[in-house]
Amino acid sequence: MSRVVQFDMVVDDPLRAIDFYQAVVGWKFEQRKDPEGDYWVIATGKGVESGIDGVMAAERIMRPPRLLTETSDIETSLKAVKASGGIIVKPRHALHNAGWSAVFQDQFGSQFGLLQADPSAR
């Protein structure tokens, strides 16, 4: 069974969103640089606390928001998506030092991400 391991947020004004979520729920944000634009890693808890963390970016970088689920073999998961009537929206690609990711759409129009952990992914 695959667990949700990350959420993505798409916002029109990242700095305003940071102020909001820090004040309301105490999330911590760490800015990262990417060739496509800046994004922020979101910590929703401390270390071993239950829950998931996320990523936030402006609309121009990441669209639409989605949940990422873990997989031990992304290629096998993508084959299962196709065999089950889903569509590959973004094929396998590296997430800098985190792993391999892909985006798919189910038969109902919802998009989800897959993440195979691999710190050597480039």
Side-chain angles (χ1 to χ4, degrees):
M1 183 178 311
S2 296
R3 295 180 53 93
V4 173
V5 293
Q6 178 181 303
F7 64 89
D8 292 342
M9 292 176 56
V10 178
V11 298
D12 62 355
D13 185 342
L15 298 180
R16 190 168 55 108
I18 289 169
D19 288 344
F20 177 84
Y21 287 103
Q22 283 178 335
V24 173
V25 291
W27 290 352
K28 304 293 182 209
F29 294 80
E30 181 183 326
Q31 188 173 9
R32 303 273 174 92
K33 302 287 184 183
D34 186 88
E36 295 181 37
D38 294 353
Y39 67 96
W40 289 261
V41 175
I42 305 167
T44 64
K46 297 176 184 167
V48 296
E49 290 180 343
S50 64
I52 62 172
D53 293 329
V55 173
M56 179 185 72
E59 292 174 295
R60 69 184 182 281
I61 297 172
M62 181 172 53
R63 220 178 154 99
R66 60 183 66 98
L67 297 174
L68 273 75
T69 57
E70 68 183 350
T71 179
S72 59
D73 183 342
I74 199 163
E75 294 301 331
T76 298
S77 295
L78 291 172
K79 288 177 186 172
V81 166
K82 290 179 188 176
S84 299
I87 300 167
I88 307 304
V89 176
K90 186 171 185 180
R92 178 182 175 262
H93 59 280
L95 291 180
H96 313 290
N97 301 322
W100 301 100
S101 185
V103 177
F104 69 92
Q105 181 173 308
D106 65 21
Q107 297 175 351
F108 317 102
S110 297
Q111 289 189 6
F112 292 88
L114 294 168
L115 178 63
Q116 178 184 332
D118 181 355
S120 66
R122 307 249 181 313

